[in-house]
Amino acid sequence: MNRLKSMSHWIVAISFTVLFLPAQAQNQAPNLTLPPGVEKVTEVEGITEYRLEDNGFRFLLAPDNAKPSVTVNMTYLVGSRHENYGQTGMAHLLEHMIFKGTPTTRNALAEFSKRGLRANGTTSEDRTNYFATFAADPETLDWYIRWQADAMVNSIIAREDLDSEMTVVRNEMERGENSPFRMLYQKTHAAAFDWHNYGKSVIGARSDVEEVDIEQLRDFYRMYYQPDNAVLTVAGKFDEQQVINTIADAFEPIARPSGRCHVSTPLNRCKTASAG
């Protein structure tokens, strides 16, 4: 699922979509009614940031009615630098596993194809993101936002799915090993960040990935795939009021985590019981 070599291209594309909107989109000032529990944080150059008060979930809206399509990007603030010894590659593995589905959407990729979504995900040292671009359509947009909320808390992370996906992950590893650029990049990072997780390969060590403990992978998912550790961006042609209502309805019921710290969790991600 991850395309490490094209990761930077997607980031640039999303950045341009969000940051360089036509003036007509920037000048729009619709009269919006915020649902209870949704607060407006700030607005800059036609991009508005909102936050759900109860769980800390943030989302950015960048409407542009001149576009024929809409792009949705979910970013989780977790990457390979958050992995502990013996757990390298977990962030990237989770990126693959999220597409395996939830109890209500067992095959996410098939659903994407049926709805005409161009969707994928990428993993880096600091974040994991999932994105989709599709022809502007309110029903498709509503469905994809709700799938993101479902995947945040209900992804199955099953052993059999992990085993079946391992061939894909190995192929990515081997493509990287056969790429002079990727190998030079990895060696340079390893030298520059000698005692920091930035020095590790994002895809992880083969021994860690092939022998990953499924329960530890689920713990990693439950720790980091949380509303206060995620940012959703919607850019393109869409109805702002409808999207705000959908996001509030889909994500507000997800509780902010409290008092749960896995043994591998960095200190800055540990929550106290009072945080809930």
Side-chain angles (χ1 to χ4, degrees), residues 14 18 47-52 56-62 71-77 128-132 141-142 144-149 152 226-235 238 243-244 246-248 250-251:
I14 292 171
V18 172
I47 306 169
T48 308
E49 178 183 355
Y50 299 91
R51 188 178 73 92
L52 300 186
F57 181 70
R58 291 175 291 162
F59 58 98
L60 307 176
L61 301 185
T71 296
V72 183
N73 181 76
M74 174 70 89
T75 299
Y76 290 95
L77 306 181
T128 307
N129 73 302
Y130 304 87
F131 54 88
L141 180 56
D142 182 90
Y144 186 73
I145 290 173
R146 293 182 185 279
W147 174 79
Q148 287 285 2
M152 179 181 285
Q226 297 289 351
D228 61 341
N229 198 45
V231 181
L232 182 72
T233 302
V234 184
F238 60 90
V243 169
I244 291 172
T246 297
I247 291 174
F251 287 93

Side-chain angles (χ1 to χ4, degrees), residues 164-183:
S164 67
E165 194 67 15
M166 198 58 68
T167 299
V168 179
V169 175
R170 287 194 191 99
N171 286 340
E172 287 190 29
M173 284 183 171
E174 291 166 3
R175 285 201 305 270
E177 291 167 355
N178 290 322
S179 167
F181 172 80
R182 289 300 307 169
M183 293 308 299

Side-chain angles (χ1 to χ4, degrees), residues 207-254:
S207 57
D208 288 349
V209 172
E210 292 181 344
E211 299 175 14
V212 63
D213 182 89
I214 191 66
E215 288 303 325
Q216 288 191 18
L217 188 60
R218 288 170 181 154
D219 286 344
F220 195 86
Y221 163 69
R222 287 189 288 263
M223 176 55 62
Y224 292 106
Y225 281 57
Q226 297 289 351
D228 61 341
N229 198 45
V231 181
L232 182 72
T233 302
V234 184
K237 185 176 183 179
F238 60 90
D239 183 280
E240 282 188 84
Q241 186 67 66
Q242 179 190 16
V243 169
I244 291 172
N245 293 343
T246 297
I247 291 174
D249 185 60
F251 287 93
E252 194 171 29
I254 303 175

Side-chain angles (χ1 to χ4, degrees), residues 55 222-223 226-228 255-260 269 271-272 275-276:
N55 61 21
R222 287 189 288 263
M223 176 55 62
Q226 297 289 351
D228 61 341
R256 183 198 299 263
S258 61
R260 291 191 294 108
R269 283 293 298 145
K271 306 283 184 181
T272 62

